[in-house]
């Protein structure tokens, strides 16, 4: 079996997501993960504008709100800006857009995932976590169709199981994992490749 | 791989549109364009992008329908009120020194931003000596902008933003309500010129003191952003002002050094 050189991790979460993200990112940081992490976390607009700050206060790695046309850089955690969709272009830079909300959400996880699937193909890891809606499952399936690795939080562990369950109903992701095991897997995949 | 084929089809479609209609979408951000073409496929009931291409090439009305997807014809009055408040407090005082003013609202869509600008200038006593050029590439949007009629359902949101933007009067003074539309005042309209102009293919048409181009550049790739910023730089007078959308910047363009930041959060820049 050939190993993919993964180049980025995209993550989506909704209700209960901030805690889950903090746990996962903390574990990835401790393990020395250098992959860029790109996250959409649904929140009310005001709270969303503070997300980068909240995460930065608790994490070692640099945290930034993804800016239009900024290149994706290793070792950085990017969060989506409130009120705009976040996409990744084929040249691995970000683009924002103010199209209508998708799945009642802007930013939408599906849109980030679909564009990332195009940009990274099999070199992408997609992660769908706790949440009370169905955003992200179509995008995660697209990541799988483009050969990327798909990880879904174990519904029993998720604060709200709806989002992980929606993905499981839609297709068979590569792994259904608890957060701790998810972090371990990502670190191991990165390490295998570094060797 | 099917996605490769779709990518080729998309490029061919953009090329066909350019050759046939002179609209140049070839340097737009692909991610968003791809999605909007997918939406158009569903709405126009085409099975593939190639089918859409054939349709568009042979039927100008079909192209006009597609154009509604390719452009993002959404806007609001006093969108991001802090932007307009910033202009009022920090730019207007400097604009007072000019005997006459030319202002360019680029990518004006259905006109809301241009009317907001006109209201702001009226309240600051500058409208009488101002001409606002508001440009876009979507003829249907421009037509609606010229009419200056907006759905009454939107008025309460506009009113809130107007107040948050530091509105000095009563918003209802600026329109008359009829049926389900609010018709904006003719005396504002007299200082607005709506015109077809593309940041992708056209050149500078006037020397201006202030350019407002909001939520347009995010749809362009880096090269096209640079082209548009080049036009703005050329059009602006010495020390002229440039306002962008709340998540837009000059950081990743080649014009970062040719403007200084006047208001960081409100995204107002000044030509050096
Ligand atoms: C999302 S709207 C922004 C409207 C308004 N400026 C605002 O912020 O509310 C984007 C507008 O840019 C226009 N646009 C797209 N490409 C353009 C181009 N090449 N030149 C001029 N306008 C363009 C579209 O037609 C659309 O009306």
């Amino acid at each position: 079996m050939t190993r993919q050189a993964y180049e980025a991790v995209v993550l989506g979460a909704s209700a209960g997501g901030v805690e889950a993200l903090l746990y996962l990112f903390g574990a990835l940081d401790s393990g020395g993960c250098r992959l860029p992490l790109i996250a959409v976390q649904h929140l009310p607009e005001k709270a969303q504008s503070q997300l980068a700050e909240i995460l930065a206060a608790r994490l070692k790695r640099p945290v930034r709100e993804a800016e239009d046309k900024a290149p994706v850089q290793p070792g950085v955690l990017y969060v989506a800006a409130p009120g705009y969709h976040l996409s990744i272009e084929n040249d691995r830079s970000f683009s924002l857009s103010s199209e209508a909300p998708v799945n009642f959400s802007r930013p939408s996880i599906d849109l980030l995932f679909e564009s990332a699937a195009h940009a990274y193909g099999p070199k992408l890891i997609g992660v769908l976590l706790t949440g009370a809606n169905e955003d992200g499952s179509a995008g995660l399936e697209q990541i799988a169709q483009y050969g990327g690795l798909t990880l879904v939080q174990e519904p029993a562990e998720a604060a709200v199981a709806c989002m992980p369950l929606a993905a499981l109903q839609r297709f068979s992701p590569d792994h259904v994992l608890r957060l701790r095991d998810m972090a371990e897997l990502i670190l191991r995949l990165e390490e295998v490749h570094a060797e | 791989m099917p996605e490769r084929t779709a990518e080729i089809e998309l490029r061919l479609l953009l090329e066909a549109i350019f050759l046939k209609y002179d609209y140049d979408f070839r340097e737009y951000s692909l991610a968003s364009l791809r999605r909007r073409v997918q939406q158009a496929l569903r709405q126009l009931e085409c099975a593939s992008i190639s089918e859409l291409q054939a349709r568009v090439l042979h039927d100008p009305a079909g192209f006009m329908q597609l154009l509604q997807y390719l452009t993002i014809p959404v806007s609001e009055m006093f969108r991001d009120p802090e932007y307009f408040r910033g202009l009022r407090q920090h730019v207007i005082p400097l604009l007072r020194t000019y005997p006459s003013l030319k202002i360019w609202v680029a990518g004006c869509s259905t006109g809301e931003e241009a009317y907001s600008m006109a209201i702001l200038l009226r309240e600051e006593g500058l409208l009488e000596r101002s001409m606002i050029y508001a440009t876009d590439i979507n003829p249907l949007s421009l037509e609606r902008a010229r009419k200056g009629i907006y759905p009454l359902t939107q008025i309460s949101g506009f009113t809130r933003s107007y107040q948050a933007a530091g509105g000095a009067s009563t918003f209802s003074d600026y329109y008359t309500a009829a049926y389900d539309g609010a018709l904006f005042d003719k005396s504002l309209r007299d200082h607005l010129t709506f015109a077809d102009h593309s940041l992708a293919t056209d050149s500078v048409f006037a020397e201006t003191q202030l350019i407002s181009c909001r939520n347009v550049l995010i749809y362009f790739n880096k090269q096209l952003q640079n082209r548009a910023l080049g036009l703005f730089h050329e059009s602006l007078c010495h020390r002229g002002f440039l306002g962008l959308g709340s998540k837009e910047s000059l950081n990743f363009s080649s014009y970062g050094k040719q403007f200084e930041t006047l208001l960081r959060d409100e995204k107002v820049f000044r030509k050096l």
Side-chain angles (χ1 to χ4, degrees):
Chain A
M1 189 185 131
T2 56
R3 297 271 181 189
Q4 296 295 347
Y6 292 108
E7 291 181 1
V9 185
V10 287
L11 308 100
S14 185
V18 177
E19 294 73 27
L21 288 174
L22 271 171
Y23 178 88
L24 188 62
F25 294 152
L28 290 173
D29 277 3
S30 321
C33 173
R34 291 287 303 149
L35 292 169
L37 308 172
I38 304 154
V40 166
Q41 161 72 53
H42 295 159
L43 284 171
E45 223 169 284
K46 181 101 202 312
Q48 198 144 49
S49 60
Q50 295 159 352
L51 181 64
E53 236 174 277
I54 291 167
L55 295 175
R58 309 266 298 269
L59 297 170
K60 276 189 290 188
R61 75 167 59 212
V63 183
R64 295 195 199 130
E65 201 174 87
E67 280 185 88
D68 186 54
K69 303 290 157 329
V72 179
Q73 288 175 340
V76 178
L77 165 60
Y78 296 95
V79 297
Y84 288 80
H85 291 301
L86 177 64
S87 304
I88 304 177
E89 297 294 324
N90 292 347
D91 69 356
R92 281 101 194 269
S93 63
F94 292 107
S95 62
L96 302 190
S97 91
S98 57
E99 297 155 62
V102 173
N103 307 315
F104 309 102
S105 310
R106 196 173 60 193
S108 143
I109 302 169
D110 274 341
L111 262 51
L112 171 67
F113 282 10
E114 283 163 14
S115 64
H118 267 275
Y120 286 98
K123 298 181 171 173
L124 182 70
I125 301 177
V127 175
L128 196 61
L129 303 175
T130 169
N133 59 47
E134 304 196 349
D135 192 18
S137 53
L140 196 68
E141 186 180 23
Q142 187 147 344
I143 292 176
Q145 286 162 351
Y146 281 55
L149 185 76
T150 51
L151 312 180
V152 170
Q153 184 177 17
E154 167 63 53
E157 186 199 53
V160 185
C162 195
M163 218 150 86
L165 287 174
L168 296 180
Q169 259 160 31
R170 193 177 178 103
F171 75 110
S172 297
D174 294 305
H175 301 277
V176 181
L177 297 168
R178 305 178 80 79
L179 293 177
R180 200 190 52 189
D181 302 328
M182 207 179 261
E184 232 166 64
L185 175 65
I186 294 171
L187 287 167
R188 201 164 66 235
L189 289 170
E190 195 183 2
E191 199 175 299
V192 164
H193 189 75
E195 273 162 11
Chain B
M1 286 204 291
E3 62 274 15
R4 244 205 57 80
T5 309
E7 211 82 359
I8 293 169
E9 286 181 294
L10 179 57
R11 287 192 174 204
L12 292 173
L13 172 69
L14 301 181
E15 202 63 46
I17 291 173
F18 178 62
L19 293 173
K20 170 95 187 194
Y21 299 103
D22 289 332
Y23 278 84
D24 195 351
F25 291 100
R26 296 173 302 173
E27 291 193 304
Y28 281 48
S29 294
L30 217 53
S32 161
L33 207 53
R34 202 188 282 134
R35 285 194 295 271
R36 287 176 278 135
V37 168
Q38 288 304 326
Q39 284 167 7
L41 287 185
R42 284 193 293 274
Q43 287 301 312
L44 305 179
E45 296 179 351
C46 292
S48 68
I49 301 178
S50 302
E51 192 183 318
L52 179 66
Q53 177 184 322
R55 165 105 149 256
V56 159
L57 273 177
H58 296 286
D59 172 18
F63 170 64
M64 207 34 77
Q65 279 180 295
L66 175 60
L67 190 65
Q68 304 314 309
Y69 291 89
L70 298 184
T71 59
I72 316 258
V74 288
S75 190
E76 290 164 36
M77 287 209 183
F78 296 96
R79 182 180 192 169
D80 307 314
E82 59 286 358
Y83 171 76
F84 290 92
R85 194 156 13 115
L87 290 182
R88 193 188 286 269
Q89 290 172 351
H90 302 282
V91 176
I92 293 285
L94 296 160
L95 290 181
R96 285 189 202 290
T97 56
Y98 294 94
S100 74
L101 288 170
K102 285 190 181 138
I103 294 166
W104 180 9
V105 177
C108 67
S109 188
T110 36
E112 290 85 337
E113 186 184 343
Y115 283 96
S116 307
M117 194 68 82
I119 289 172
L120 175 65
L121 292 167
R122 156 74 37 89
E123 295 189 348
E124 296 299 325
L126 291 179
L127 188 63
E128 291 314 310
R129 58 171 120 147
S130 302
M131 185 45 84
I132 301 170
Y133 299 93
T135 60
D136 204 279
I137 57 169
N138 185 337
L140 297 186
S141 297
L142 285 169
E143 205 173 302
R144 290 186 52 196
R146 285 189 191 104
K147 290 208 176 97
I149 302 174
Y150 300 98
L152 283 178
T153 49
Q154 288 190 289
I155 292 294
S156 64
F158 291 176
T159 305
R160 241 175 290 128
S161 298
Y162 164 77
Q163 286 158 352
S169 173
T170 311
F171 192 56
S172 57
D173 291 350
Y174 296 108
Y175 62 85
T176 43
Y179 302 104
D180 54 354
L183 169 66
F184 276 77
D185 209 277
K186 169 112 186 11
S187 67
L188 299 172
R189 183 64 188 78
D190 288 343
H191 296 269
L192 288 163
T193 300
F194 291 100
D196 177 62
H197 179 277
S198 172
L199 296 169
T201 51
D202 291 325
S203 45
V204 168
F205 56 86
E207 188 188 66
T208 54
Q209 284 75 42
L210 165 64
I211 296 176
S212 187
C213 181
R214 315 195 67 224
N215 302 302
V216 180
L217 295 183
I218 46 176
Y219 299 103
F220 295 175
N221 74 11
K222 235 174 276 176
Q223 289 73 18
L224 188 52
Q225 280 194 354
N226 281 330
R227 182 189 198 278
L229 290 169
L231 295 183
F232 299 158
H233 189 267
E234 190 186 332
S235 165
L236 283 173
C237 65
H238 176 64
R239 305 295 283 146
F241 300 91
L242 172 64
L244 302 178
S246 62
K247 295 294 169 191
E248 293 169 328
S249 76
L250 302 170
N251 294 350
F252 303 98
S253 77
S254 15
Y255 284 87
K257 294 207 169 61
Q258 298 176 58
F259 288 89
E260 67 184 11
T261 304
L262 183 70
L263 304 173
R264 196 186 53 129
D265 294 339
E266 294 81 355
K267 305 293 155 103
V268 180
F269 304 87
R270 196 165 186 197
K271 183 170 158 180
L272 283 172

